[in-house]
Amino acid sequence: MMLLLSSSSSSSSVSAPSLSLPSPCFPPSLRLRFPSQTIPFRLHTPPPPSCSISSSSSSVGQSTSFSQNGLVYSRAYWVTESLIAWNVDVGNELSCYLLASKNASLTIANCQIQGEDLKIKLQEDRAGLPANVVEKFPHIRGCKAFKLPPSLDAKPLLKSQLAVAIYDSGDKCRNCTGLQLPGVLDELFSYSGPLGALFSEEAVSLYLWAPTAQAVHAYIYKDPSGDDPIEIVRLEEENGVWRTKGPKSWEGCYYVYEVCVYHPSTLRVEKCYANDPYARGLSSDSRRTFLLNLDTDDLKPDGWENLTNEKPVIHSFSDISIYEMHIRDFSASDLSVHPEFRGGYLAFTVLDSAGVLHLKRLSSAGITHIHLLPTFQFAGVDDQKENWRIVDTSILESLPPDSDQQQALITAIQSFDGYNWGYNPVLWGVPKGSYASNPNGPYRTIEFRKMVKALNHIGLRVVLDVVYNHLQGSGPFDENSVLDKIVPGYYLRRNNDGFIEHSTCTNNTASEHFMVERLILDDLVHWAVNYKIDGFRFDLMGHIMKSTMVKAKAALHSLTKEKDGVDGSSIYIYGEGWDFGEVAKNGRGINASQFNLPGTQIGSFNDRIRDAVLGGSPFGHPLQQGFVTGLLLQPNGHDHGTEANAKSMLAASMDHIQIGMAANLQDFVLTNSEGEEVKGSEILTYDGTPVAYASCPIETINYVSAHDNETLFDIISLKTPMDLSVSERCRTNHLATSIIALSQGIPFFHSGDEILRSKSMDRDSYNSGDWFNRLDFTYNSNNWGVGLPPQEKNEKNWPLIKPRLANPSFRPQKIDILATVDNFLNLLRIRYSSPLFRLKTANAIQQRVRFHNTGSSWVCGVIVMSIEDGHDGFPGLSQLDPIYSFIVVVVNACPKEVSFVSPALQLRSLQLHPIQVSSSDNLVKSSTYEASSGCFVVPQRTTAVFVEPRKK
């Protein structure tokens, strides 16, 4: 039977499995000699209709129309040297065998599997799978256990095509399947020695972990492209690690591995051509690994060795505030940057550019860390800029603000331009070439280091966005595939049928496997030591095991100035703790999800406060309102149910926000809207999930806006009423950021929150080009109304978006942007004016933070928070702040001025914060407090901060 093969990622059983089989892969110098082609692949000749082979992993004897399918699936697991797991019932009449074929010749014909070199009988182990196996692979807990003979040498067999089969008493095959090998590979080949390229004074040594490979060669090239190799070296294997030692002259050359290995996706022994997983440099076309010695002095900017001693001081992780930035966004449209530097690493070194001057203002006001979206080698952007396609911006600028022509022009070239967020990793340990002035040679490294140094010198520590949960490529031929070419079926997590899991949108990695985890840990240390990185944000962290994250933190914190040249104890890690896909509810082990992380001091994003502040969720109706966008108080026409229902929703939102402002602590006690004293963990979201999950403040990243979904200004423009003035939308933008800036925990801001950034309402601008992602640090434009956002992700909302973009009253003016910047900087200055906004422990927050507009008599749309300090020489609370003894924050989301009276806050010496007194915002300056009554008066859509100065 002939099958045309294509990729399959389904986790459910399929009747006609399909595989990825593009054109053959050849060494880079040879590849152009062969045209691209789609190859039909003959799996095997089908047996006669009377032969029944099962396609089910749970029973024997169920017929399938494709009797050869058993070899395509991998439904059995070789979990230890002596044990195979398979979800089948054998009974007394059937026998189970392991089959091996070194040259991948297994076929099915006439109810027989043929072509094996070895056939080994297995015995069912009635004791079942041992506890350690079930702990590591909880998704196979229901499988039967089959024992291998004790005398079997398993290691050489792992280089073969493998299958297990069940035979009846007539020696007919009744069921068969391939094997998943990570368990036995971890047991037999876990390795902690050197990997990648090692440089000494006399030699260059290469090490590659590839225990299933049958042969490995290194093709050595003088140049990044063209030419035949100057040398082809056969590597020698020792216990799964292939190695060779070459001359010192190899340094500065390029190389490619040729790995001869059985690949389960094609059922063949393939010659795979791959980069080194531990690559530190690449050619401009990403086809060759650059032999780069990172310790060479020529690669270090002046003063690099002393940078650790010059980094901005961070006394506690509670003092962190984060500003998220995409490297290309930062400068691609900045005319004050030299054209060759725009959109790249070196733009951060131009100290008088509009962008750098803006970063200096943020740093001076209090931002401590700049979070850079992916900077490793990712797919989707050609590193050779001469290949990029562009659209004439004068054409785009001539089109109406609600036209669909801009997005049509941008999407027509989006696979060929210089833009992508970068969440499609190819090699984790190499800086992205498109951000360098020259992607060949050492320039990536030199310029990346210059960027880090420049940012540190303006007071900003650098966070890298790392994407260890998935890889862009898989299979033996994909040019973006690396790990799956070297140890096929190991690095990528597979489902119960043996196909790659894709819940992250592409090829999920498996950090529960020893050498996957090791690669992650090694990569983190590499960036920390060789690039002096100050923090790491983990994309889809919930798809990584908790144990991996704990080890990552320990590995980083063990780094010292004396031994490693960096202070690892100052490196902060955080990520997205979402719990979904095959890892949900600890489906593949205890994962790094929000509710599994308490006690680790690893941060995770608090989506509860985001959704409560703005309304709904990124996956709900776009018009659903929240606390700041008008829920109950200024309806937008969306059906929120009855007034009582809207009021209940607002009350719940306020509870969620107040818990968030208390760092989303599980044990923080709040009087909820119903007058009950409850812990944060007892307050529930709409689906019954607890709101709070953190055990300490640094485990919570509070935010209302990030690179994902619409910008803050765009979502506010969507959810607020159409007739709201632009100045009121700007106040709402500021109101939302004020909640984040003044909360306990770690505040996180998306670049542009402070300048009303718009992406013309694009909800997913990952590949929307510079046009929709523009930032203007001259404050002349916020990029509103540059056309309907790209159709692929936004078309269903075009009817809502189009009238807003067409309405000129929605567009902020420069005066609005300048006012928003000033107000944002003031928020940061207020946060850093008192340590009371940055309490270090859960106990301190519980003792000092109170919310006053609570209980059944609460006032709609107003949050009142107080933070109390102690006094030196007096019993009770210790004194933390030498300037202020008491702080009150009043957040008024109402469309009109409110008065709030609190007997508990009477007779205090409170006054408006001096930063707000000197603010250019006349509304906040009109906020008042009356001590005799405890009455606060705060204007509409305003956050006012009142402080009680200590008596001198």
Side-chain angles (χ1 to χ4, degrees):
M1 177 181 177
M2 299 291 288
L3 295 177
L4 188 63
L5 303 175
S6 59
S7 62
S8 171
S9 61
S10 173
S11 60
S12 60
S13 180
V14 291
S15 60
S18 54
L19 307 171
S20 178
L21 195 60
S23 59
C25 185
F26 297 94
S29 64
L30 306 176
R31 199 172 275 137
L32 294 179
R33 301 177 192 176
F34 297 87
S36 297
Q37 55 187 300
T38 301
I39 302 175
F41 177 50
R42 187 182 298 276
L43 285 176
H44 304 290
T45 303
S50 61
C51 184
S52 175
I53 304 291
S54 171
S55 66
S56 168
S57 60
S58 59
S59 64
V60 177
Q62 181 177 343
S63 295
T64 173
S65 59
F66 296 103
S67 55
Q68 71 275 23
N69 286 356
L71 295 176
V72 174
Y73 295 111
S74 294
R75 290 170 168 161
Y77 306 80
W78 196 337
V79 290
T80 70
E81 183 176 12
S82 60
L83 214 59
I84 288 173
W86 191 11
N87 192 19
V88 291
D89 292 319
V90 176
N92 297 323
E93 302 297 324
L94 303 173
S95 301
C96 189
Y97 287 85
L98 171 67
L99 309 174
S101 172
K102 187 171 183 180
N103 62 357
S105 298
L106 295 181
T107 60
I108 300 175
N110 299 319
C111 300
Q112 293 292 331
I113 297 183
Q114 300 172 348
E116 73 272 13
D117 306 322
L118 200 62
K119 184 175 180 181
I120 303 163
K121 189 169 185 179
L122 307 178
Q123 296 294 329
E124 184 175 354
D125 187 345
R126 300 295 181 181
L129 296 174
N132 64 316
V133 170
V134 173
E135 181 181 5
K136 183 167 183 173
F137 304 112
H139 61 295
I140 66 168
R141 66 175 66 249
C143 288
K144 299 292 193 300
F146 295 89
K147 293 187 294 185
L148 291 133
S151 60
L152 180 70
D153 184 2
K155 289 184 178 181
L157 287 183
L158 296 172
K159 298 178 182 295
S160 301
Q161 180 186 20
L162 297 169
V164 285
I166 292 174
Y167 292 84
D168 61 21
S169 57
D171 205 28
K172 287 186 177 181
C173 180
R174 308 302 296 175
N175 197 351
C176 65
T177 189
L179 284 149
Q180 298 187 37
L181 304 179
V184 67
L185 291 177
D186 280 352
E187 181 172 275
L188 296 181
F189 293 106
S190 293
Y191 171 74
S192 58
L195 288 171
L198 271 67
F199 299 87
S200 68
E201 292 184 3
E202 315 81 32
V204 177
S205 299
L206 301 178
Y207 298 84
L208 180 72
W209 186 76
T212 61
Q214 298 181 7
V216 176
H217 291 83
Y219 287 65
I220 312 296
Y221 298 88
K222 183 65 177 175
D223 297 310
S225 62
D227 302 326
D228 291 327
I230 59 174
E231 198 170 350
I232 300 176
V233 182
R234 180 180 176 88
L235 278 68
E236 299 298 324
E237 183 188 14
E238 183 179 332
N239 202 34
V241 178
W242 298 79
R243 62 193 73 196
T244 191
K245 179 180 284 189
K248 182 68 171 175
S249 60
W250 279 6
E251 186 173 332
C253 291
Y254 296 80
Y255 67 107
V256 175
Y257 281 128
E258 177 192 79
V259 181
C260 182
V261 64
Y262 171 75
H263 209 291
S265 71
T266 63
L267 307 181
R268 298 191 307 205
V269 175
E270 304 287 0
K271 281 189 177 180
C272 300
Y273 294 90
N275 284 300
D276 192 328
Y278 279 74
R280 299 299 178 238
L282 285 172
S283 60
S284 62
D285 64 1
S286 304
R287 302 292 178 88
R288 298 175 182 176
T289 301
F290 181 50
L291 280 161
L292 180 71
N293 184 354
L294 292 170
D295 291 330
T296 302
D297 289 341
D298 291 344
L299 304 186
K300 299 174 182 177
D302 291 342
W304 180 251
E305 297 292 2
N306 196 47
L307 182 60
T308 298
N309 298 318
E310 300 172 347
K311 283 184 176 287
V313 175
I314 192 84
H315 295 291
S316 164
F317 288 152
S318 294
D319 293 331
I320 289 174
S321 55
I322 301 169
Y323 185 77
E324 181 193 44
M325 171 75 73
H326 182 267
I327 284 182
R328 186 159 180 82
D329 288 354
F330 174 66
S331 62
S333 304
D334 190 344
L335 299 181
S336 64
V337 175
H338 190 281
E340 291 186 6
F341 290 2
R342 288 179 201 159
Y345 303 125
L346 292 178
F348 293 92
T349 68
V350 183
L351 298 182
D352 60 350
S353 73
V356 170
L357 292 174
H358 184 78
L359 292 183
K360 287 179 179 178
R361 297 181 74 188
L362 295 177
S363 172
S364 297
I367 291 290
T368 63
H369 287 62
I370 184 165
H371 160 167
L372 298 175
L373 266 65
T375 56
F376 49 74
Q377 186 63 23
F378 57 80
V381 173
D382 192 333
D383 291 340
Q384 301 169 103
K385 298 181 180 67
E386 60 270 22
N387 296 333
W388 292 357
R389 299 181 191 174
I390 60 173
V391 176
D392 186 342
T393 55
S394 65
I395 296 175
L396 297 170
E397 289 167 352
S398 70
L399 296 167
D402 61 335
S403 169
D404 64 358
Q405 292 303 299
Q406 295 97 325
Q407 64 87 31
L409 291 167
I410 294 299
T411 55
I413 64 161
Q414 66 182 5
S415 298
F416 309 101
D417 65 357
Y419 197 90
N420 198 287
W421 281 348
Y423 292 95
N424 35 6
V426 177
L427 281 162
W428 293 324
V430 181
K432 176 62 177 168
S434 64
Y435 296 143
S437 62
N438 183 349
N440 286 313
Y443 297 95
R444 306 175 192 227
T445 290
I446 296 169
E447 294 173 13
F448 197 106
R449 286 171 167 174
K450 286 182 177 179
M451 174 186 68
V452 172
K453 180 185 174 186
L455 287 168
N456 283 176
H457 280 178
I458 63 171
L460 295 169
R461 287 177 168 253
V462 178
V463 174
L464 291 194
D465 199 324
V466 288
V467 185
Y468 296 128
N469 64 84
H470 67 261
L471 289 164
Q472 178 68 13
S474 64
F477 307 119
D478 186 338
E479 67 178 18
N480 293 316
S481 176
V482 177
L483 298 177
D484 200 41
K485 290 178 178 178
I486 291 170
V487 192
Y490 178 81
Y491 286 96
L492 303 179
R493 188 179 289 134
R494 295 199 279 171
N495 63 24
N496 290 337
D497 287 329
F499 301 131
I500 297 168
E501 292 281 9
H502 283 70
S503 57
T504 64
C505 295
T506 183
N507 308 289
N508 297 6
T509 55
S511 72
E512 60 271 25
H513 302 162
F514 181 90
M515 295 300 288
V516 182
E517 178 179 85
R518 185 198 156 169
L519 179 54
I520 293 171
L521 301 182
D522 288 349
D523 193 68
L524 290 166
V525 170
H526 153 63
W527 285 105
V529 171
N530 293 317
Y531 291 95
K532 302 188 188 300
I533 296 303
D534 306 295
F536 296 92
R537 177 266 193 192
F538 287 74
D539 181 66
L540 297 185
M541 180 174 63
H543 270 66
I544 299 171
M545 293 300 109
K546 175 184 176 180
S547 59
T548 303
M549 293 301 303
V550 170
K551 291 174 187 175
K553 177 171 172 274
L556 292 168
H557 285 197
S558 70
L559 302 174
T560 65
K561 289 183 182 181
E562 297 74 22
K563 177 172 62 76
D564 308 290
V566 296
D567 176 14
S569 67
S570 67
I571 296 174
Y572 179 63
I573 63 176
Y574 60 101
E576 296 177 305
W578 320 137
D579 192 39
F580 68 96
E582 76 281 0
V583 299
K585 299 179 180 178
N586 303 320
R588 292 301 182 100
I590 299 174
N591 62 325
S593 61
Q594 288 170 331
F595 290 101
N596 286 335
L597 287 174
T600 63
Q601 298 192 340
I602 295 169
S604 65
F605 285 92
N606 179 12
D607 51 332
R608 281 71 155 165
I609 198 170
R610 175 201 66 191
D611 293 347
V613 168
L614 299 176
S617 78
F619 313 105
H621 195 285
L623 294 184
Q624 187 170 333
Q625 292 177 289
F627 177 70
V628 305
T629 53
L631 178 61
L632 180 68
L633 305 171
Q634 203 161 16
N636 61 5
H638 177 65
D639 183 7
H640 292 91
T642 64
E643 182 176 343
N645 187 65
K647 186 174 183 179
S648 175
M649 291 170 64
L650 179 60
S653 294
M654 290 175 62
D655 285 349
H656 295 185
I657 292 168
Q658 288 170 124
I659 287 296
M661 295 182 76
N664 213 41
L665 296 173
Q666 291 175 322
D667 294 331
F668 183 83
V669 177
L670 173 76
T671 301
N672 67 13
S673 56
E674 297 177 359
E676 302 167 337
E677 283 199 353
V678 291
K679 292 182 178 181
S681 59
E682 296 170 337
I683 298 175
L684 305 180
T685 64
Y686 66 93
D687 64 353
T689 303
V691 167
Y693 55 79
S695 67
C696 66
I698 65 171
E699 290 175 353
T700 293
I701 306 290
N702 279 322
Y703 77 115
V704 289
S705 174
H707 66 273
D708 282 321
N709 310 309
E710 294 89 347
T711 66
L712 179 58
F713 182 78
D714 283 348
I715 200 68
I716 287 169
S717 298
L718 196 58
K719 290 178 179 289
T720 50
M722 284 282 290
D723 58 358
L724 197 69
S725 70
V726 70
S727 62
E728 290 300 292
R729 287 196 181 88
C730 296
R731 292 200 70 80
T732 302
N733 190 104
H734 177 60
L735 189 69
T737 55
S738 73
I739 294 171
I740 301 304
L742 302 177
S743 293
Q744 303 294 329
I746 293 178
F748 175 100
F749 305 100
H750 178 220
S751 56
D753 282 353
E754 76 286 9
I755 57 174
L756 306 173
R757 181 184 190 176
S758 172
K759 297 180 183 179
S760 213
M761 307 192 96
D762 191 348
R763 65 172 284 107
D764 188 0
S765 67
Y766 79 102
N767 202 18
S768 298
D770 296 329
W771 179 253
F772 287 98
N773 286 286
R774 282 189 303 178
L775 277 170
D776 181 3
F777 291 121
T778 66
Y779 314 135
N780 285 306
S781 168
N782 78 329
N783 207 44
W784 172 267
V786 296
L788 285 169
Q791 182 176 11
E792 179 189 4
K793 302 284 186 175
N794 300 279
E795 184 180 19
K796 69 177 182 180
N797 288 334
W798 277 2
L800 296 174
I801 294 171
K802 188 174 177 65
R804 289 165 168 80
L805 296 181
N807 188 337
S809 71
F810 273 72
R811 184 187 300 276
Q813 303 304 307
K814 185 169 185 175
I815 190 172
D816 300 309
I817 299 170
L818 289 171
T820 305
V821 172
D822 286 345
N823 286 338
F824 182 80
L825 295 173
N826 284 341
L827 285 175
L828 292 173
R829 295 181 184 116
I830 290 170
R831 179 176 182 84
Y832 287 94
S833 70
S834 172
L836 297 179
F837 286 113
R838 311 184 310 279
L839 297 173
K840 298 178 182 179
T841 67
N843 188 50
I845 293 172
Q846 184 64 66
Q847 290 179 329
R848 298 167 186 264
V849 175
R850 295 286 183 275
F851 292 93
H852 299 272
N853 183 26
T854 59
S856 55
S857 59
W858 60 282
V859 177
C860 290
V862 180
I863 290 175
V864 182
M865 175 180 72
S866 67
I867 316 173
E868 183 179 4
D869 201 12
H871 300 269
D872 282 346
F874 290 84
L877 295 173
S878 60
Q879 180 176 315
L880 302 177
D881 188 339
I883 301 175
Y884 304 124
S885 60
F886 201 83
I887 296 175
V888 175
V889 176
V890 182
V891 183
N892 175 20
C894 299
K896 59 184 180 181
E897 179 183 278
V898 296
S899 297
F900 178 80
V901 177
S902 173
L905 298 175
Q906 284 179 291
L907 306 177
R908 308 224 47 128
S909 302
L910 291 166
Q911 59 191 45
L912 192 64
H913 198 292
I915 290 174
Q916 291 189 320
V917 170
S918 60
S919 167
S920 60
D921 181 355
N922 290 323
L923 273 180
V924 75
K925 289 163 74 170
S926 68
S927 303
T928 62
Y929 164 74
E930 183 180 78
S932 60
S933 62
C935 179
F936 298 84
V937 178
V938 177
Q940 75 271 18
R941 297 189 177 91
T942 296
T943 295
V945 180
F946 299 88
V947 292
E948 187 173 74
R950 293 189 182 277
K951 295 178 181 179
K952 297 183 179 178

